[in-house]
Amino acid sequence: MTGAGIRQMQVIRVFAIALCLIGVTLSPLRAEEVLAPPVKPDNLNAPQADAAPPVLGDLLGGNAVPGSSTPVVPYAPAITPDAGMPDQGTESPVYMVARLSDDGPALTQGVTWRVYRPALNQNGRLELVATARGGDADFRLPPGEYFVHTAYGYAGRTSRISVRNGLTSQTVVLNAGGIKLDAQFSGNQPIRTGRLVFDIYEREYNSRGERKVVASNIKPGDIVRLNADTYHIVSRYGAVNATVRADIRVEPGKLTEATVFHNAARVTLKLVNQPGGEAIANTNWSVLTPGGDTVVEGTGAFPAFVLASGEYQVIARNEDKLYSREFEVKTAAHGEVEVLTSSLLKQ
């Protein structure tokens, strides 16, 4: 072929290439046709492994990429490189339930939960990391070891839990019950006057020969929640010497009702010039046992005391003069004790 023929063929080839380039520019392919193979009409919702990743705004909004018929895969959390699972943060869910006994129902109210780290802080105390009140408890805790104190009234238990990745659930059996206390006069007569309260002690003595107070100033009819055990109960009627003691057993998951009986009465003291006369003010009083031991002292025209049944001597002091009388207290026989000024004691 001559030189002229060769140049003619090169011109024709360049022209053909130019036409091809012009055709690509005028008829662009859509992005999905470049990045993924054609999708069959009956499989439009199937996720495509080779699809181009959508932009952030589409991931949050859940919309398709503009100009594309390929659906966007819903957003999923990033994959952690070590576990191969969605990264849900450094905390794990912890669910806890409390029961009074093994076969008792779950408590739905009145429970206090406190979660502590097992290591002591700089103040020498366990660090409180979470609390909850009500029935069951739902915490979010970093994996690790913890102490959990579960309190229900005066009942309580401390348990240890190990929190791992994923849900941790635990049931705490408190092994506790309740006690409801009341008091009457001997003979089943109700007590309607005077202050009546109960103190609850541990049954055993400590190294100092004392019982530890569990609960004090409990009113009649109040329900006290306690760990299952035997307790020493002291009923105090008034503030002097009318006390009754008893040992009562609390069973797990049960309410124990107990009534104690008092032999006592409320007396009002008066210094008068004659029986039924007007009380003399500014009088000091001392109530003594028959042996001379002081039971109680008071000041005023009408001091009132609840005293245990028995015999007593009362001494009234007014204007440096002493007056005396012996009297007896009978169960539930409330009344006045008059001291006559004619009972002047010789000094």
Side-chain angles (χ1 to χ4, degrees):
M1 181 178 294
T2 64
I6 293 172
R7 285 195 300 272
Q8 185 177 4
M9 291 297 294
Q10 291 176 341
V11 171
I12 294 172
R13 187 176 300 168
V14 170
F15 181 74
I17 293 174
L19 288 178
C20 292
L21 293 175
I22 294 173
V24 171
T25 304
L26 296 179
S27 302
L29 294 175
R30 290 180 298 177
E32 64 269 22
E33 293 177 321
V34 174
L35 300 175
V39 180
K40 296 182 180 180
D42 59 349
N43 195 28
L44 292 178
N45 292 327
Q48 303 300 314
D50 298 329
V55 295
L56 180 61
D58 298 314
L59 292 176
L60 297 178
N63 300 320
V65 178
S68 171
S69 61
T70 304
V72 175
V73 179
Y75 171 72
I79 304 299
T80 57
D82 54 341
M85 298 176 62
D87 183 7
Q88 299 179 351
T90 59
E91 297 182 339
S92 298
V94 179
Y95 180 70
M96 303 197 71
V97 176
R99 304 177 187 272
L100 290 178
S101 58
D102 290 324
D103 55 353
L107 297 174
T108 59
Q109 60 182 358
V111 183
T112 300
W113 303 86
R114 294 182 178 89
V115 183
Y116 299 87
R117 298 187 190 277
L120 299 179
N121 58 21
Q122 60 183 3
N123 297 323
R125 298 182 178 181
L126 296 177
E127 179 185 358
L128 179 65
V129 297
T131 60
R133 298 179 183 272
D136 50 3
D138 187 3
F139 300 109
R140 295 294 185 273
L141 300 172
E145 301 293 322
Y146 297 90
F147 288 128
V148 179
H149 183 263
T150 310
Y152 186 60
Y154 292 95
R157 179 179 177 182
T158 300
S159 53
R160 188 173 188 133
I161 62 170
S162 298
V163 177
R164 300 291 182 259
N165 291 325
L167 174 64
T168 300
S169 62
Q170 184 167 322
T171 298
V172 176
V173 179
L174 292 171
N175 191 35
I179 190 171
K180 183 178 180 181
L181 300 170
D182 197 5
Q184 297 180 353
F185 291 117
S186 296
N188 297 318
Q189 301 178 64
I191 298 177
R192 294 192 175 95
T193 60
R195 183 172 182 263
L196 176 65
V197 294
F198 299 88
D199 298 325
I200 302 176
Y201 296 84
E202 292 183 354
R203 184 183 182 186
E204 303 299 329
Y205 292 95
N206 58 22
S207 59
R208 294 179 295 180
E210 300 174 349
R211 288 187 171 104
K212 180 181 178 181
V213 178
V214 177
S216 59
N217 296 325
I218 305 301
K219 297 180 180 179
D222 287 352
I223 296 177
V224 184
R225 304 176 180 100
L226 299 166
N227 291 329
D229 204 346
T230 300
Y231 295 89
H232 185 73
I233 309 299
V234 178
S235 175
R236 294 184 286 121
Y237 179 38
V240 184
N241 63 347
T243 60
V244 177
R245 298 173 179 268
D247 290 340
I248 299 175
R249 174 72 183 177
V250 175
E251 300 291 342
K254 298 180 181 180
L255 175 63
T256 300
E257 299 187 47
T259 300
V260 299
F261 296 92
H262 279 275
N263 290 306
R266 186 173 185 267
V267 297
T268 302
L269 305 178
K270 296 173 58 178
L271 177 64
V272 295
N273 291 318
Q274 58 186 8
E278 184 177 353
I280 300 175
N282 301 320
T283 302
N284 296 320
W285 299 88
S286 296
V287 178
L288 311 175
T289 66
D293 296 327
T294 301
V295 177
V296 65
E297 295 180 330
T299 303
F302 300 96
F305 307 102
V306 173
L307 299 174
S309 299
E311 296 181 351
Y312 299 90
Q313 180 186 15
V314 59
I315 297 177
R317 178 189 295 272
N318 185 270
E319 294 183 353
D320 295 329
K321 296 180 180 180
L322 299 178
Y323 309 90
S324 177
R325 175 188 169 179
E326 294 181 352
F327 67 98
E328 182 181 3
V329 175
K330 296 182 179 180
T331 300
H334 310 300
E336 295 181 346
V337 174
E338 293 182 341
V339 179
L340 299 176
T341 53
S342 59
S343 61
L344 180 64
L345 288 176
K346 295 181 180 181
Q347 301 183 30

